[in-house]
Amino acid sequence: MSLTTDTTTRPTTGEVFGYACAQIHQAAASMWPEAPVRLGAHVPSVTGYVHRMTVGDDRELFAKHSMLGSSLVSILRGVHGPWSVIESLQQDYAASTESLLAREAVQLKFLQARLQAATTAGLTHGVLFTNPVTGPTLLELLLARPSSTADLLGGVWAELEVLHRPGAPSDLLKGTFIGERSITGTFQRKFNGISGSVYIDHLGADRLSSGTAENVVAVVRQVVNRLLRLRSLTLPSGPPSLAYGDLKPEHIHYPSGVGGRPTFLDPGLLVAGPVVDASKLVSRTILGLIAVRPGRKTVTAVVGGVSTFTESITPPRAVTADLWLRELLMIWLMDTVNIMTTYLSAPATLPLPTQGLALIKAVGHICAVIERMSWALSCGRSPRAVWDLALRQVIEAAS
């Protein structure tokens, strides 16, 4: 990843948002030429430009626009060049069957035949329209029913068995995998060589005080260096299957409430072992706890449930279990570093989701967790010892 430091060559939020908004209007007019279309609230995101909208009198939809398949943070930081370059490339990108949202639409159709997933309402002009999914999110249920954490996570995992089992039909998705949402792929892109070092240098420049930013840069640099060294020593813990790829608690809703089946949003399907999904689910659940800080009793119960759930899906053989847990810890760390640094590198003009703002405020607690985890792994401690240490650190950070 390169980082343009000359702010005069970077796209502005007005240019990017104005273009995306116009494309949504154009796409909606093409899809529903006889119906009035009204844009509702903008949904803050660091990835794509998303709006609530209404078609006709009462049809509620979400409209999602992707700029070159890249994150809004990267676009606004000038990674893809000035606005004139991006605008010249975007039209062809949006029309391509290989665009991010075209692949997401294919994946949603694939999932709808196998589990409960969001449904699409159309794809045109580089804009994906999806029908809203109601009901509480997984994180909301975990906070409301912390003693049920293991059961709730287990229920999600059972739904995904159709993807995780050996021989899952990955051939039906050839050409549509979403590598952009790969945790390890994102980590390698962000922290590759000199450009990765420059990227770390600028963390928090627009979001933190200078003293706090310096501390964060020092910790992230240390953690990233440890992970880069450890990654070369890590062997895959099992054969690949299909992974959901972007398995976050906020991407899992329960339209029927507690006891009903979960419905999944925003897939990032790719060929990978189930440990990828376990890692992201653990990582984002933990970050959700740190963002909300619901009190020690709730945190302890949720963390205990996460531990019970993880033990239940860990392979039974000791050697395989160690490899699996080590890989889970590595990917958990990478995912946490990925999203934390994305929030911290977001320009001040980009609206962030509520959880992102909360995590920026809690950045010191997050740094304490990832520093200790990465230190323990680099010291050669057993995966079980690192896991236990990590959960203790989480309880302190989120309480």
Side-chain angles (χ1 to χ4, degrees):
M1 171 182 284
S2 62
L3 187 68
T4 301
T5 56
D6 181 1
T7 58
T8 63
T9 66
R10 297 177 185 173
T12 67
T13 307
E15 288 170 332
V16 174
F17 282 20
Y19 180 91
C21 189
Q23 291 300 298
I24 289 174
H25 276 291
Q26 184 178 353
S30 174
M31 289 287 300
W32 301 282
E34 304 300 325
V37 174
R38 301 182 303 280
L39 287 193
H42 168 240
V43 182
S45 171
V46 292
T47 52
Y49 184 76
V50 183
H51 250 289
R52 292 179 178 271
M53 60 177 291
T54 304
V55 176
D57 293 333
D58 57 5
R59 186 180 183 186
E60 302 290 334
L61 294 171
F62 282 97
K64 182 189 295 186
H65 180 274
S66 173
M67 194 74 70
L68 301 182
S70 187
S71 73
L72 288 175
V73 173
S74 294
I75 293 289
L76 293 170
R77 283 299 183 189
V79 171
H80 296 276
W83 175 246
S84 58
V85 171
I86 292 169
E87 187 177 22
S88 69
L89 296 173
Q90 177 62 22
Q91 186 172 0
D92 286 344
Y93 176 80
S96 171
T97 57
E98 297 179 358
S99 73
L100 175 67
L101 295 182
R103 284 176 282 146
E104 184 172 322
V106 172
Q107 291 195 357
L108 284 172
K109 184 176 180 179
F110 173 87
L111 289 170
Q112 285 156 21
R114 292 161 175 82
L115 44 76
Q116 292 192 165
T119 56
T120 60
L123 171 70
T124 187
H125 292 83
V127 179
L128 177 64
F129 298 98
T130 58
N131 296 299
V133 177
T134 60
T137 66
L138 174 60
L139 181 60
E140 289 169 338
L141 289 185
L142 294 178
L143 294 174
R145 303 167 62 91
S147 62
S148 300
T149 295
D151 290 338
L152 286 165
L153 296 178
V156 168
W157 201 254
E159 294 286 332
L160 297 177
E161 191 274 336
V162 68
L163 304 180
H164 293 162
R165 68 185 178 215
S170 60
D171 56 310
L172 298 179
L173 286 165
K174 284 181 179 177
T176 69
F177 294 115
I178 300 182
E180 295 91 330
R181 294 176 184 162
S182 162
I183 295 171
T184 56
T186 299
F187 185 86
Q188 290 163 359
R189 286 195 307 272
K190 276 176 172 276
F191 305 111
N192 179 38
I194 295 174
S195 62
S197 181
V198 173
Y199 175 72
I200 293 173
D201 285 341
H202 289 80
L203 290 176
D206 291 354
R207 301 278 177 175
L208 301 174
S209 67
S210 58
T212 302
E214 288 177 6
N215 292 336
V216 168
V217 166
V219 170
V220 170
R221 190 178 303 284
Q222 188 175 53
V223 171
V224 166
N225 287 338
R226 287 169 177 166
L227 285 171
L228 289 173
R229 290 195 301 269
L230 289 166
R231 187 64 189 167
S232 65
L233 303 175
T234 301
L235 298 173
S237 60
S241 56
L242 276 178
Y244 194 86
D246 207 15
L247 191 65
K248 309 172 188 175
E250 60 267 35
H251 285 178
I252 305 168
H253 284 253
Y254 291 78
S256 301
V258 178
R261 292 180 63 192
T263 298
F264 297 84
L265 314 180
D266 297 347
L269 294 170
L270 69 163
V271 176
V275 69
V276 168
D277 283 341
S279 302
K280 190 143 196 174
L281 191 56
V282 170
S283 168
R284 296 308 174 93
T285 299
I286 295 308
L287 286 178
L289 288 176
I290 294 175
V292 176
R293 298 177 68 81
R296 194 175 190 90
K297 182 178 180 181
T298 296
V299 170
T300 301
V302 173
V303 168
V306 168
S307 184
T308 300
F309 160 72
T310 304
E311 289 175 7
S312 73
I313 63 172
T314 301
R317 291 180 60 243
V319 174
T320 305
D322 275 355
L323 287 173
W324 192 89
L325 190 55
R326 178 186 172 85
E327 190 172 5
L328 184 149
L329 289 161
M330 290 280 293
I331 300 174
W332 169 6
L333 273 168
M334 288 182 184
D335 182 63
T336 298
V337 171
N338 285 347
I339 190 60
M340 182 181 74
T341 55
T342 294
Y343 287 142
L344 291 175
S345 61
T349 55
L350 178 64
L352 296 184
T354 301
Q355 187 178 90
L357 294 171
L359 290 175
I360 288 174
K361 290 182 179 180
V363 67
H365 297 293
I366 299 171
C367 282
V369 172
I370 63 175
E371 196 284 325
R372 291 290 289 174
M373 285 178 66
S374 65
W375 169 81
L377 278 170
S378 67
C379 288
R381 291 195 176 186
S382 71
R384 172 56 61 183
V386 179
W387 173 258
D388 292 340
L389 171 66
L391 295 188
R392 291 196 300 271
Q393 288 292 122
V394 167
I395 291 172
E396 293 304 317
S399 296

